[in-house]
Amino acid sequence: MTEVLSNNTTDKVGSLVKEAEALKAKLEEERQKLNDVTLSSVAERLEMITYLNIKPRRVLKGHQAKVLCSDWSPDKRHIVSSSQDGKLIIWDAFTNYKEHAVTMPTTWVMGCSYAPSGNLVACGGLDNKVTVYPITMEEDISSRKKTVGTHTSYMSCCIFPNSDQQILTGSGDSTCALWDVESGQLLQSFHGHTGDVMSIDLAPNETGNTFVSGSCDKMAFIWDMRSGHVVQSFEGHLSDVNSVKFHPSGDAISTGSDDSTCRLFDMRADKEVAVFSKDSIIFGVNSVDFSVSGRLLFAGYNDYTVNVWDTLKAQRVCLLYGHENKVSCLQVSPDGTALSTGSWDFTLRVLGMEVKLISPPT
């Protein structure tokens, strides 16, 4: 009797697996029907980027070791940076002046972020914690620090989801977590990655209920912050995904990987639509960010350079030199007029930007 039941169960499971595979094939077939044109072929009709004026404006010197992360303040003037030297520095990017320098309890401060109000900064790293500092006129802001949450491995990245009340973190324990800043309570945890989470970014909309994460499992996941569930997943990279960024439209994400490529994934098409690579580029990508319009993609590489890509045509339009070690982080300023880059050469650089387009011949 038991054998008969066992055989029936096996047969049922087998038929369900076949049914699932058939449905998968049918879904893929329907998706391919919609995939009638490539992004690059549509982009041929668009204006070309012919004038890209990017000039070095400031070199920020003060860290005594590798710069690991940086973030622009909402005021478009200040930058917070974190480093292997265990320091968190707040800079005035207009003057090179260091307004605050905070020594953390451990080295390798891997992530830092400004709050939307500009009145708080958060950071963390090998201490496994995310710590929040209020920015005041006092000399020593560390006296008012607050430890918000703790992971079971290093904290790699953090971001405030549209308010000063909550903070979202990514960790080497393969999870992301949403914390309440005031109480330190864990509001939501996000499980799904099978490797260290290296980067997170918030969707650019008012509600801010969606975010993307990139991991050493070569995947990028889109999460619903309310449910804690993955709503979309993107694969294609051949190595660790070090950086993820939402397109300003909110309909696509870009990723940068150790496989020396950047990729553009369209969330509506649920697929990869562009790969940014050249045979001559053999070094990994550590950080990516879009221009305010989304037309340009900036990528920082291990070969000390920043490549600037035309997002739609998937062509490189500019190559920026200056750093003397790998570019670990970069970010376009909130108003789109400047680009900040941080490097293992212990410095940050601020570059001014101006872009012009020309229509293609008809």
Side-chain angles (χ1 to χ4, degrees):
M1 183 69 179
T2 309
E3 281 183 25
V4 173
L5 285 170
S6 174
N7 288 337
N8 283 344
T9 305
T10 307
D11 290 344
K12 272 185 184 174
V13 170
S15 65
L16 286 169
V17 168
K18 280 182 185 173
E19 192 179 337
E21 291 299 327
L23 285 168
K24 268 190 193 170
K26 199 168 182 182
L27 280 169
E28 189 56 37
E29 192 182 315
E30 291 300 317
R31 279 175 63 188
Q32 290 304 324
K33 282 180 188 174
L34 297 172
N35 186 23
D36 54 348
V37 65
T38 63
L39 179 65
S40 56
S41 64
V42 173
E44 285 173 9
R45 303 194 292 268
L46 295 173
E47 295 172 320
M48 294 178 288
I49 297 165
T50 56
Y51 181 74
L52 191 56
N53 187 17
I54 300 178
K55 289 183 178 176
R57 299 294 185 198
R58 294 281 183 270
V59 179
L60 309 180
K61 295 179 179 179
H63 283 295
Q64 304 302 312
K66 301 165 183 174
V67 176
L68 303 175
C69 186
S70 64
D71 190 32
W72 281 94
S73 167
D75 69 8
K76 315 177 192 70
R77 175 167 183 155
H78 293 88
I79 295 172
V80 61
S81 63
S82 62
S83 165
Q84 184 196 7
D85 63 9
K87 288 273 201 309
L88 182 81
I89 296 179
I90 295 173
W91 309 83
D92 184 333
F94 289 5
T95 64
N96 283 20
Y97 179 65
K98 290 189 283 291
E99 294 197 353
H100 295 285
V102 180
T103 303
M104 299 292 289
T106 60
T107 56
W108 288 88
V109 187
M110 301 171 76
C112 61
S113 179
Y114 259 104
S117 67
N119 297 324
L120 296 172
V121 290
C123 63
L126 288 188
D127 58 357
N128 300 2
K129 297 170 183 173
V130 57
T131 306
V132 171
Y133 293 85
I135 301 170
T136 63
M137 297 308 290
E138 294 172 26
E139 278 293 310
D140 183 21
I141 63 172
S142 61
S143 60
R144 298 178 62 190
K145 73 176 182 181
K146 180 181 181 62
T147 299
V148 175
T150 306
H151 282 276
T152 57
S153 184
Y154 66 87
M155 194 216 77
S156 56
C157 47
C158 58
I159 193 168
F160 287 87
N162 294 344
S163 87
D164 290 18
Q165 278 76 52
Q166 297 175 352
I167 188 158
L168 185 67
T169 57
S171 169
D173 63 14
S174 306
T175 71
C176 302
L178 182 66
W179 311 89
D180 181 83
V181 171
E182 188 60 39
S183 67
Q185 182 185 353
L186 176 64
L187 301 175
Q188 187 68 264
S189 57
F190 306 89
H191 299 266
H193 282 297
T194 55
D196 301 14
V197 176
M198 300 306 292
S199 178
I200 52 177
D201 189 42
L202 205 66
N205 54 36
E206 293 301 314
T207 52
N209 290 321
T210 308
F211 74 96
V212 59
S213 63
S215 164
C216 292
D217 61 10
K218 310 175 193 173
M219 300 288 290
F221 287 168
I222 309 291
W223 301 86
D224 185 322
M225 212 179 292
R226 295 158 298 185
S227 68
H229 295 145
V230 176
V231 292
Q232 266 181 295
S233 62
F234 296 106
E235 58 185 352
H237 280 295
L238 307 175
S239 191
D240 302 3
V241 177
N242 294 321
S243 183
V244 288
K245 199 75 185 178
F246 264 97
H247 188 274
S249 68
D251 294 325
I253 60 161
S254 179
T255 54
S257 166
D258 276 344
D259 66 10
S260 74
T261 71
C262 302
R263 293 169 194 256
L264 185 69
F265 297 94
D266 189 291
M267 293 165 63
R268 295 161 301 181
D270 195 32
K271 66 192 284 289
E272 178 189 291
V273 290
V275 180
F276 307 93
S277 65
K278 288 174 77 74
D279 291 340
S280 58
I281 300 174
I282 57 171
F283 292 90
V285 184
N286 298 308
S287 186
V288 294
D289 197 11
F290 287 100
S291 61
V292 168
S293 68
R295 182 64 189 271
L296 296 175
L297 177 68
F298 299 88
Y301 288 75
N302 282 343
D303 64 355
Y304 317 169
T305 66
V306 173
N307 283 260
V308 187
W309 300 91
D310 185 324
T311 307
L312 301 175
K313 294 178 182 286
Q315 297 169 352
R316 186 169 70 185
V317 293
C318 187
L319 186 58
L320 305 176
Y321 297 94
H323 281 295
E324 294 167 13
N325 207 322
K326 72 186 209 175
V327 180
S328 51
C329 54
L330 59 76
Q331 192 182 31
V332 174
S333 64
D335 60 3
T337 61
L339 173 74
S340 72
T341 60
S343 167
W344 280 21
D345 66 8
F346 305 0
T347 71
L348 292 104
R349 290 169 183 264
V350 180
L351 305 101
M353 294 195 296
E354 185 186 356
V355 183
K356 287 181 184 172
L357 305 175
I358 188 168
S359 300
T362 52

